[in-house]
Amino acid sequence: MIIQTEPSFPEIREAVRRLCANFPGEYWQRLDRDRSYPTEFVTALTEAGFLSVLIPEEFGGSGLGLSAATAVLEEIHRSGCNGGACHAQMYTMGTILKHGSEAQKQAYLPKVASGELRLQAFGVTEPTAGTDTTRIRTFARRDGDDYVVTGQKIWISRAEHSDLMVLLCRTTPREQCAKPSDGMSVLLVDMREAVGNGLTIRPIRTMLNHATTELFFDDLRVPAANLIGEEGKGFRYILSGMNAERILIACECIGDGHFFIDRATAYAKDRQVFGRAIGENQGIQFPIARAYVQLSAAAEMVNKAAQMFDEGLTGGTEANMAKMLASEASWYAADMCVQTHGGFGFAEEYDIERKFRETRLYQVAPISTNLILSHVATHVLGLPKSF
Ligand SMILES: Cc1cc2nc3c(=O)[nH]c(=O)nc-3n(C[C@H](O)[C@H](O)[C@H](O)COP(=O)(O)OP(=O)(O)OC[C@H]3O[C@@H](n4cnc5c(N)ncnc54)[C@H](O)[C@@H]3O)c2cc1C
């Protein structure tokens, strides 16, 4: 007998599945063709309260842990939908919750919880720095009651669909800092005021429908009151939010993996070639079974990382390992699903080619596999640092 653990938060999962049923493949295919934003889907999730699960009850959220959020995103992805348009509304607020002042929490969190304010843009990556975040050049110079920001960011997703953005910039040049990770600060940018007044947003068209953009800052004034935490400590604040992000992305991969396995299994049972179901051939069965085995193992790591996060344990290594295993398992499942479907795997109307493109992202963003391996090699195994 197979011992299978019951999925966590069954009521939440069922409610998410019901909501997602209103957004079938044709909806996503249309948006994908036009590279447009799933406004109706995001509104439905907001109104149902699914995007505020991590916000404490005192600020209007449901005060649940990351494990509940993983259930929401996994089901979205298993249903064939995509949480990329709004998942950051769940966790970007963590920077304010953990490091903001009481006044900032009171001013923003209730409105983020209700959806009145969209806080789902997170500006870290720059074209010249790449993964080496301490080399960012976007600079915020203090001038009276304001910071004046100049510089450039790339791959900043949902910037056009956010009222607020958490922005990492340098406030002290790298050369003047004791450590490269010092001298960076986090500002909360009000996008409604910024666009056209020093901030320009340029969309980037990519292989998936992801509303990602390039940002140009040209003397953008941001009130000093919008500094989160202490000046110069921003890198640490951003790092602490990244663990949540990696775990949530990992569970989207688990959802994607289930989508591919569900579809491949159903198709293999149904499709008749040479007078029998293709699923009778072990050449078809085994890759599906292998995908299931790999995904189940990855899911265990995702659950462990989420649990550690909820218990307040650091868990950076586990969050990284969960993201790597889950993104590789979903990619294997995606490739398997295309192969199982033969030519139909390439047809837009089957949604498989779309999900194939979507799940490929996660081996690169929000952190690429090599950087995770490097973390494990040096921080866990004590191997010499290569950079
Ligand atoms: C669709 C999309 C959405 C994104 N959304 C956001 C967002 O909202 N906000 C944000 O701030 N960023 C975002 N990103 C950026 C994303 O986090 C980065 O693309 C990712 O972290 C990789 O950085 P990079 O592209 O600069 O690659 P690079 O740092 O240029 O690296 C390129 C390749 O070289 C490898 N590499 C680099 N250095 C080493 C080394 N020392 N050893 C071994 N291998 C190495 C990397 O693993 C990678 O495979 C997004 C990216 C994409 C594509």
Side-chain angles (χ1 to χ4, degrees):
M1 192 182 102
I2 304 169
I3 301 171
Q4 217 165 13
T5 43
E6 280 300 306
S8 57
F9 301 99
E11 296 86 8
I12 291 183
R13 287 177 188 272
E14 177 51 32
V16 173
R17 277 198 292 274
R18 271 203 310 274
L19 186 153
C20 289
N22 297 324
F23 299 92
E26 302 83 64
Y27 174 75
W28 297 98
Q29 289 156 26
R30 186 165 29 91
L31 296 174
D32 190 65
R33 269 195 297 275
D34 303 341
R35 290 293 189 271
S36 47
Y37 188 76
T39 306
E40 307 79 7
F41 177 67
V42 176
T43 304
L45 285 172
T46 306
E47 286 173 355
F50 291 129
L51 301 184
S52 59
V53 288
L54 294 174
I55 300 180
E57 284 176 293
E58 59 176 306
F59 298 116
S62 19
L64 296 169
L66 205 65
S67 300
T70 63
V72 172
L73 291 174
E74 185 186 320
E75 289 307 323
I76 288 175
H77 279 248
R78 186 170 190 162
S79 302
C81 302
N82 191 304
C86 53
H87 55 205
Q89 178 79 359
M90 283 180 158
Y91 58 78
T92 311
M93 64 81 209
T95 312
I96 300 179
L97 181 64
K98 281 198 181 150
H99 309 287
S101 66
E102 200 46 44
Q104 287 169 335
K105 289 181 206 178
Q106 295 294 348
Y108 298 115
L109 294 180
K111 289 182 181 168
V112 174
S114 70
E116 192 186 326
L117 282 179
R118 296 164 304 166
L119 168 52
Q120 50 178 1
F122 185 67
V124 175
T125 310
E126 296 190 6
T128 52
T131 314
D132 191 358
T133 305
T134 67
R135 299 219 180 249
I136 62 166
R137 292 195 202 155
T138 297
F139 200 89
R141 171 177 58 84
R142 185 71 188 251
D143 180 34
D145 289 339
D146 291 335
Y147 283 98
V148 181
V149 183
T150 46
Q152 193 182 339
K153 296 277 173 188
I154 193 164
W155 306 121
I156 309 309
S157 304
R158 302 161 297 272
E160 295 168 295
H161 305 281
S162 290
D163 302 306
L164 300 168
M165 170 172 63
V166 164
L167 177 71
L168 184 71
C169 26
R170 278 229 158 258
T171 37
T172 308
R174 193 175 190 267
E175 316 72 69
Q176 292 172 23
C177 296
K179 282 193 293 175
S181 57
D182 290 344
M184 285 180 271
S185 304
V186 173
L187 295 178
L188 192 64
V189 176
D190 191 323
M191 305 296 273
R192 299 160 300 179
E193 291 169 5
V195 174
N197 290 308
L199 172 63
T200 306
I201 306 180
R202 191 186 295 162
I204 308 175
R205 202 175 158 94
T206 61
M207 72 188 264
L208 72 163
N209 181 20
H210 195 77
T212 199
T213 68
E214 207 170 356
L215 305 181
F216 300 89
F217 301 90
D218 183 12
D219 287 342
L220 171 71
R221 294 194 89 85
V222 178
N226 287 19
L227 175 74
I228 310 280
E230 274 182 63
E231 189 181 289
K233 302 232 167 105
F235 187 67
R236 254 156 282 175
Y237 305 156
I238 291 291
L239 275 189
S240 72
M242 283 177 170
N243 285 342
E245 182 182 41
R246 283 170 203 178
I247 296 166
L248 291 174
I249 297 294
C251 73
E252 294 188 342
C253 295
I254 300 296
D256 281 347
H258 280 300
F259 168 87
F260 293 121
I261 292 168
D262 293 346
R263 289 292 178 98
T265 305
Y267 191 75
K269 287 177 185 168
D270 188 54
R271 171 75 169 162
Q272 301 279 324
V273 181
F274 295 111
R276 60 185 185 157
I278 58 168
E280 285 180 39
N281 304 302
Q282 290 186 328
I284 287 288
Q285 285 179 4
F286 285 5
I288 305 176
R290 182 178 294 279
Y292 182 80
V293 171
Q294 290 179 354
L295 198 74
S296 303
E300 289 296 320
M301 182 54 82
V302 178
N303 289 341
K304 180 179 175 185
Q307 247 170 31
M308 287 178 75
F309 189 94
D310 285 341
E311 286 165 15
L313 302 169
T314 317
T317 297
E318 287 73 12
N320 271 313
M321 294 201 297
K323 209 284 288 186
M324 179 180 141
L325 289 172
S327 63
E328 291 185 350
S330 74
W331 178 240
Y332 177 82
D335 193 46
M336 169 284 288
C337 192
V338 169
Q339 199 67 20
T340 304
H341 280 76
F344 289 106
F346 294 82
E348 199 179 47
E349 66 172 291
Y350 276 69
D351 291 307
I352 292 159
E353 60 84 31
R354 171 178 61 83
K355 293 290 277 182
F356 176 92
R357 287 182 280 116
E358 288 173 359
T359 216
R360 183 61 181 83
L361 173 66
Y362 297 132
Q363 286 173 82
V364 171
I367 179 82
S368 57
T369 303
N370 275 1
L371 271 292
I372 294 177
L373 291 172
S374 163
H375 169 90
V376 172
T378 55
H379 287 82
V380 181
L381 304 176
L383 287 160
K385 282 191 162 209
S386 64
F387 57 89

